Amino acid sequence: DSILRSHPSVTLDTLVSIYSQECTRRVACGFKRISKEDNLARVAKRYLRGEGAVKISYSINVPPCVLMRLLLGTILGISKQSVSRCLKDPMNVMRVTPNKLTEGLTADDLPDLQRRLATDVEHCTAVDNVFSPYVDGLRNAVGKEYEDVLEDHLKELGIAYQAEDALRAQGQAKTPDVKLEVPIAVKGQVVHWIDSKACFCDEWTYHNKGKDQFQSYVNRYGPGMVIYWFGMVDQLNTIPDVLLVDNFPSQEDIFCLPAISLDAQQPAFNPPPLTSPFPLTPAKPTTPSQSQATSPSSKFGIMSPSPMTSLDACGI
């Protein structure tokens, strides 16, 4: 609440996105340290002595769900896939078969230990507002909601497009959220595709989570546009071939080619009457001679020369 009061022009969604990204960044920087074998062994001993997982996570500045993933893998020796299933459903902890118990544990200790682990998994997923599977599900739902918002804007403007599902059905390996059937221009830049991001974008987020992805779209489809719905830093908008915006552009900023309906009925073709470039003038009526009277061309007023006249003209 205090942060919202200090930044009244910033939405709650933007602040939550910035906070989540900062937590992710901090975990990425410190994960190698906490995941070292000797550090994991010390954390596991603290847990097996009875200390709670949430309390341990706060003491070493690691998100509860991240610590719980490490504890399940270390104490039970299960795979990452099994750990993910346990976090999504704590009851899976009771069903999992340990591959290798940590040192000092026996098979007789396993039932009580699994019950305790299941309880702590439930506790960690409840208090972790960044790395919990429930938060991941909510984040995915918000992302889908903003993809629908993008498609609604395109439909409202009558812009034809192919959605990501259609592109995947065609066998495309790299698929933006929307590929336009006919490119548009936004603020003077050509756009062939649009990607929707329900998050805030700073320089670290762009270069680590977006740059390579967007370049693969440029290589396949040409220049495009990315919408970061929760805001972005202005310094990023100097990247060629990828236009970054924080909202769907206004209609004044979009130029679309005029649509041509293929179903429109074409007018019937009526050719103009044929006319000769050399107009014929009727001949004056004359009294035809015997040779002219028998000549077919005399009907049209054309004088046919007599045989003698033709021979004289040739000098014979």
Side-chain angles (χ1 to χ4, degrees):
D1 292 341
S2 61
I3 298 178
L4 279 174
R5 288 193 295 269
S6 338
H7 303 82
S9 61
V10 181
T11 65
L12 178 61
D13 288 334
T14 299
L15 291 176
V16 170
S17 180
I18 294 173
Y19 173 75
S20 299
Q21 291 173 4
E22 185 62 29
C23 290
T24 302
R25 204 169 307 169
R26 188 168 63 244
V27 168
C29 293
F31 187 77
K32 288 184 178 180
R33 173 185 56 84
I34 187 61
S35 60
K36 288 182 178 180
E37 188 174 350
D38 53 346
N39 289 334
L40 285 177
R42 282 195 293 268
V43 171
K45 286 181 180 179
R46 288 177 61 180
Y47 183 79
L48 293 174
R49 286 198 299 262
E51 196 170 349
V54 174
K55 182 180 178 181
I56 296 174
S57 72
Y58 290 159
S59 69
I60 62 177
N61 199 24
V62 173
C65 284
V66 174
L67 177 67
M68 204 68 233
R69 285 180 177 275
L70 296 173
L71 285 175
L72 288 170
T74 302
I75 295 174
L76 300 180
I78 57 179
S79 65
K80 292 182 179 180
Q81 292 79 5
S82 297
V83 169
S84 296
R85 287 193 291 268
C86 291
L87 284 175
K88 292 178 181 178
D89 183 2
M91 291 307 298
N92 284 331
V93 179
M94 305 297 299
R95 306 184 188 104
V96 73
T97 301
N99 295 327
K100 180 182 177 182
L101 288 175
T102 192
E103 186 178 354
L105 292 177
T106 64
D108 295 336
D109 301 324
L110 188 58
D112 291 339
L113 177 61
Q114 287 180 306
R115 279 192 290 269
R116 183 183 170 213
L117 285 169
T119 301
D120 279 334
V121 166
E122 188 173 3
H123 190 192
C124 288
T125 54
V127 300
D128 193 331
N129 53 12
V130 177
F131 296 96
S132 168
Y134 305 132
V135 176
D136 288 340
L138 180 61
R139 191 179 295 117
N140 292 334
V142 172
K144 183 63 175 66
E145 179 182 348
Y146 277 95
E147 289 175 15
D148 293 340
V149 171
L150 168 61
E151 294 189 27
D152 289 342
H153 280 296
L154 294 174
K155 291 175 183 176
E156 183 179 352
L157 294 176
I159 300 175
Y161 66 91
Q162 286 183 298
E164 186 174 13
D165 292 341
L167 295 174
R168 287 178 177 171
Q170 296 173 9
Q172 298 289 348
K174 302 292 183 179
T175 54
D177 292 323
V178 162
K179 178 185 175 294
L180 304 181
E181 296 281 12
V182 178
I184 62 175
V186 178
K187 299 180 180 179
Q189 182 164 331
V190 177
V191 172
H192 290 264
W193 54 268
I194 305 175
D195 209 45
S196 171
K197 297 292 184 184
C199 65
F200 179 83
C201 181
D202 58 10
E203 189 172 354
W204 187 92
T205 301
Y206 178 81
H207 287 288
N208 289 274
K209 294 190 173 183
K211 184 178 179 181
D212 292 341
Q213 176 188 5
F214 304 148
Q215 187 60 49
S216 68
Y217 299 158
V218 172
N219 294 341
R220 287 167 173 78
Y221 310 113
M225 179 174 70
V226 182
I227 305 177
Y228 283 99
W229 297 99
F230 298 159
M232 47 170 280
V233 295
D234 295 333
Q235 290 82 354
L236 289 177
N237 219 355
T238 58
I239 302 166
D241 296 329
V242 180
L243 177 64
L244 304 180
V245 295
D246 59 5
N247 207 338
F248 192 85
S250 63
Q251 191 167 356
E252 292 75 17
D253 292 331
I254 299 176
F255 174 78
C256 303
L257 293 174
I260 300 177
S261 176
L262 299 178
D263 298 329
Q265 186 174 3
Q266 299 295 327
F269 177 69
N270 296 317
L274 294 176
T275 58
S276 171
F278 306 103
L280 298 175
T281 56
K284 294 181 180 180
T286 58
T287 304
S289 63
Q290 185 177 1
S291 60
Q292 293 173 351
T294 59
S295 173
S297 59
S298 64
K299 297 179 181 179
F300 302 96
I302 301 176
M303 302 297 294
S304 297
S306 65
M308 290 301 295
T309 304
S310 301
L311 293 176
D312 291 341
C314 297
I316 300 176

